[in-house]
Amino acid sequence: DQQVKQNSPSLSVQEGRISILNCDYTNSMFDYFLWYKKYPAEGPTFLISISSIKDKNEDGRFTVFLNKSAKHLSLHIVPSQPGDSAVYFCAANSPGAGSYQLTFGKGTKLSVIP
Amino acid sequence: EAQVTQNPRYLITVTGKKLTVTCSQNMNHEYMSWYRQDPGLGLRQIYYSMNVEVTDKGDVPEGYKVSRKEKRNFPLILESPSPNQTSLYFCASSRWVGGASGELFFGEGSRLTVL
């Protein structure tokens, strides 16, 4: 049972336009969400996070939106740059469970075309 | 420089030959974890450790062992590797503040092939 779903395996966007990566989750106990970015031959790196008490968090060109009623979050990248081409993983955690176990989605490969 | 270091980065081995993938972090993090990444399956957690001498199973622990004798080290042991353990492995660490989620720092990955 996949608790964190990224239904789009890949996404292509023109440079300068907006990239929107989506993520859905099923576990209502999740209360903290993160996005990680991964380049080939490197480990994932943290990008941005959001707590369930918020519905938006912004960091430069990156904004994460959380819709708790729909159990949906999205990552917006504006404007998209070729260096943003990578695999993006959505992850969720329920720290109230007394442990720290991130559940990851399968990833979305973003290609930004110059 | 803050980092998570894994070794080896690449390894080809044969079925049944015990191997260990080492992981070390220099950030004094309490929490450490192992993940494997497979095509179409994303990142799946194998084992994690909340602190020294405290380890627990993740989603896919079968065929793996871990130990946490020191805070900085968290080796992954494959006692009898099989071809289905061919994968890309990532070690990660985080500061654990008892209920709050910390950012996970990942190593560069270890690509393991079992023939």
Side-chain angles (χ1 to χ4, degrees):
Chain A
D1 177 31
Q2 199 182 347
Q3 299 186 70
V4 177
K5 300 178 185 178
Q6 294 177 258
N7 292 319
S8 298
S10 62
L11 174 68
S12 289
V13 172
Q14 208 72 31
E15 180 179 4
R17 307 292 288 266
I18 183 171
S19 296
I20 300 177
L21 294 92
N22 293 304
C23 179
D24 297 293
Y25 62 96
T26 58
N27 188 342
S28 58
M29 296 299 290
F30 288 147
D31 61 1
Y32 194 75
F33 304 90
L34 307 91
W35 284 94
Y36 280 81
K37 175 178 177 179
K38 185 184 180 302
Y39 293 119
E42 294 183 12
T45 55
F46 171 75
L47 189 58
I48 192 169
S49 63
I50 187 167
S51 165
S52 61
I53 62 173
K54 295 185 176 181
D55 54 18
K56 176 183 174 181
N57 188 26
E58 194 171 350
D59 184 2
R61 296 185 298 113
F62 302 92
T63 303
V64 56
F65 295 92
L66 175 62
N67 182 335
K68 282 177 292 185
S69 61
K71 294 191 177 69
H72 176 83
L73 63 154
S74 60
L75 174 68
H76 293 212
I77 306 173
V78 184
S80 301
Q81 299 173 353
D84 296 329
S85 297
V87 176
Y88 289 79
F89 291 99
C90 171
N93 184 36
S94 52
S99 67
Y100 179 33
Q101 194 168 357
L102 277 186
T103 301
F104 284 85
K106 293 183 179 181
T108 297
K109 183 176 182 180
L110 173 66
S111 299
V112 180
I113 305 160
Chain B
E1 180 190 353
Q3 58 186 5
V4 178
T5 304
Q6 300 177 223
N7 279 297
R9 294 288 311 281
Y10 302 92
L11 179 64
I12 300 174
T13 189
V14 295
T15 299
K17 185 175 181 182
K18 180 180 178 179
L19 69 93
T20 299
V21 186
T22 63
C23 174
S24 180
Q25 50 93 4
N26 63 1
M27 295 169 277
N28 201 36
H29 284 165
E30 294 84 4
Y31 178 90
M32 297 186 74
S33 181
W34 276 101
Y35 291 85
R36 59 179 288 175
Q37 183 187 9
D38 301 290
L41 296 177
L43 288 162
R44 295 180 295 167
Q45 191 177 46
I46 303 171
Y47 269 95
Y48 65 96
S49 170
M50 303 294 288
N51 213 325
V52 176
E53 301 293 0
V54 181
T55 63
D56 210 344
K57 297 177 180 178
D59 299 316
V60 288
E62 295 78 19
Y64 304 95
K65 284 175 57 177
V66 292
S67 68
R68 187 89 181 276
K69 293 182 169 46
E70 306 165 279
K71 198 172 188 179
R72 63 184 293 125
N73 296 323
F74 190 45
L76 179 70
I77 303 157
L78 286 73
E79 292 273 3
S80 183
S82 61
N84 64 12
Q85 292 179 297
T86 292
S87 187
L88 179 58
Y89 292 87
F90 290 101
C91 181
S93 73
S94 174
R95 190 171 62 95
W96 168 247
V97 289
S101 298
E103 173 192 338
L104 263 186
F105 291 85
F106 283 84
E108 293 187 313
S110 297
R111 183 165 293 282
L112 171 64
T113 302
V114 183
L115 301 175

